[in-house]
Amino acid sequence: MTSPLRNDRFLRALRREPVDCTPVWLMRQAGRYLPEYRATRASAGSFLGMAKNPEIACEVTLQPLRRFDLDAAILFSDILTVPDAMGLGLYFADGEGPKFHHPVRDAAAIARLAVPDMETELRYVMDAVRLIRRELDGKVPLIGFSGSPWTLACYMIEGGGSKDYARIKAMALNEPQALHKLLEVVTDAVIAYLSAQRAAGAQALQVFDTWGGVLGPAMYREFSLRYLNRIARELERGEGAGRTPLILFGKGTGQYVAELAASGAEGVGVDWTITLEDAARAAAGKVALQGNLDPATLYGSPEAITGEVGKVLDSYAAGNGGSREGHVFNLGHGMSPDMNPEHVAVLVDAVHRHSRR
Ligand code: CP3
């Protein structure tokens, strides 16, 4: 039914096996910086209209792979599909980012939350995964994803993006049991969501803990890391070489690499506020590392980009006993709409060229 995988660099790197060169993919590799994305979005009408239509989600997932020599595809969707399916009513106000019609504000609202059914309420996501696998036809592996419980809780309680996380931090201080209750049910939903994506054909899974870094260490361990650990422990993902790898990405969470490496996940993703040399020392060969070029590097010249790519690759090797094995190249966070697609081609080729064994 599905073709054998023709490019397994990404999966091999996550298993810390030898590869011919370092694999690379980019967070937000499908998006507004591509003119073909903007054209598809204009005809679909809206971002959610695209994400909820499996044919369009598939088309947009494949767009960056037609242009660039990327080593993985990532499902085109959003982390907020899960709270949307839990009844919060996701919408995008023009120019304001994501918002919820029904944010979770009290214990009564938390008590009403339940894990959504993956093959009904989130069927459009699973249909997209199945279709993308078929259309990829073994070209590169497909990554499925979810938000972390803490990051999803931030949006669910704040009702949208936030500058100070005042509501959720007040809840953490004043009603910690209520917040834990919410994080428990969201963790159950994340585990069910990732399992369903795996069953539908996702070949690797990434959890985005985008807002883990807004917490101090004690609160990070209590409200974010504890639930990441539960996901890594409880998510059934197979054995041996066929095991579906799990990557835990966090923004501003480089100081916790050793703890994240002890979670049982196969990969840890870091941003550019830690060197990969330090991250690799902290990981001590227990996990693969993913990252961590500052996305703003793409505003530099092709020569500057090539130079910075080399520094990231060499920094990883310096912290990993001189070996490039166990590194997946990525940005430290997502791409922005005003980035130049030609610079992305320079980046991808520089990664492969500089790391060729
Ligand atoms: O990486 C990829 O190419 C896969 C697709 C993907 C999207 N969102 C598409 C998207 C992924 C993995 C996400 C995850 C996501 N969504 C995160 C975690 C990763 C991160 O970036 O930290 C978060 C925090 C969200 C929530 C979200 N969705 C925000 C804050 C926004 C607004 C962004 C903006 O710049 O307006 C979205 C919308 C969104 N999700 C867009 C895309 C391509 C922009 C949609 C558009 O207007 O066309």
Side-chain angles (χ1 to χ4, degrees):
M1 182 197 93
T2 44
S3 315
L5 197 52
R6 279 170 277 147
N7 174 351
D8 65 352
R9 265 177 212 141
F10 168 69
L11 296 179
R12 290 180 63 89
L14 286 172
R15 294 195 295 262
R16 302 185 53 86
E17 292 171 3
V19 282
D20 59 339
C21 60
T22 299
V24 52
W25 70 278
L26 305 173
M27 291 188 271
R28 290 273 170 91
Q29 63 191 23
R32 284 166 293 185
Y33 76 101
L34 291 175
E36 57 270 36
Y37 174 92
R38 295 196 297 270
T40 308
R41 191 183 192 279
S43 58
S46 67
F47 168 70
L48 273 183
M50 295 169 83
K52 293 195 172 181
N53 178 317
E55 282 77 28
I56 298 177
C58 176
E59 161 60 24
V60 171
T61 299
L62 300 178
Q63 284 175 350
L65 298 158
R66 295 191 189 115
R67 275 186 184 249
F68 314 118
D69 192 13
L70 294 158
D71 297 298
I74 179 160
L75 163 70
F76 184 81
S77 187
D78 201 82
I79 61 168
L80 301 178
T81 53
V82 171
D84 183 49
M86 292 170 104
L88 274 66
L90 175 63
Y91 69 101
F92 285 82
D94 250 348
E96 286 181 66
K99 286 201 185 315
F100 287 118
H101 286 297
H102 313 290
V104 174
R105 289 281 152 81
D106 50 35
I110 292 172
R112 283 194 299 271
L113 293 172
V115 175
D117 185 79
M118 298 301 150
E119 283 293 347
T120 54
E121 281 130 314
L122 287 161
R123 168 148 207 151
Y124 65 92
V125 176
M126 307 313 150
D127 284 344
V129 170
R130 287 185 276 264
L131 187 58
I132 297 164
R133 266 305 293 280
R134 202 168 76 217
E135 294 294 315
L136 274 173
D137 196 31
K139 182 179 174 155
V140 291
L142 175 62
I143 305 167
F145 69 89
S146 168
S148 73
W150 165 258
T151 294
L152 293 175
C154 286
Y155 285 100
M156 293 170 77
I157 290 169
E158 301 293 336
S162 176
K163 281 196 295 286
D164 51 14
Y165 304 88
R167 284 194 166 94
I168 192 167
K169 286 190 176 180
M171 192 185 278
L173 291 162
N174 302 334
E175 306 168 82
Q177 337 73 289
L179 182 53
H180 280 301
K181 192 154 190 276
L182 180 144
L183 290 165
E184 285 295 344
V185 61
V186 172
T187 301
D188 291 340
V190 166
I191 291 172
Y193 190 52
L194 292 172
S195 307
Q197 289 182 49
R198 174 177 183 256
Q203 291 147 296
L205 300 165
Q206 175 157 315
V207 174
F208 288 87
D209 192 22
T210 304
W211 305 126
V214 306
L215 292 168
M219 280 203 182
Y220 171 78
R221 294 187 177 103
E222 177 174 355
F223 295 104
S224 187
L225 181 62
R226 182 201 288 201
Y227 297 97
L228 296 173
N229 277 326
R230 180 146 93 80
I231 294 165
R233 219 172 34 240
E234 292 181 17
L235 183 64
E236 171 49 53
R237 50 193 199 280
E239 296 299 330
R243 186 173 170 88
T244 306
L246 173 69
I247 304 167
L248 302 177
F249 164 75
K251 180 114 196 317
T253 57
Q255 63 179 305
Y256 311 111
V257 166
E259 288 159 86
L260 290 162
S263 65
E266 284 68 24
V268 170
V270 293
D271 74 10
W272 61 96
T273 59
I274 180 172
T275 64
L276 281 188
E277 178 174 357
D278 287 345
R281 290 223 165 85
K286 285 205 202 82
V287 287
L289 287 181
Q290 180 174 277
N292 73 341
L293 187 73
D294 180 348
T297 307
L298 285 163
Y299 297 125
S301 65
E303 296 71 31
I305 294 167
T306 303
E308 294 300 313
V309 163
K311 288 183 204 162
V312 168
L313 286 163
D314 294 347
S315 175
Y316 178 81
N320 191 51
S323 163
R324 300 193 193 282
E325 274 152 37
H327 182 204
V328 173
F329 198 99
N330 206 315
L331 303 174
H333 198 200
M335 300 204 46
S336 296
D338 60 352
M339 287 170 170
N340 179 349
E342 286 169 33
H343 286 190
V344 176
V346 169
L347 182 160
V348 171
D349 293 336
V351 172
H352 288 153
R353 225 169 342 97
H354 188 96
S355 65
R356 182 80 51 193
R357 341 287 207 232

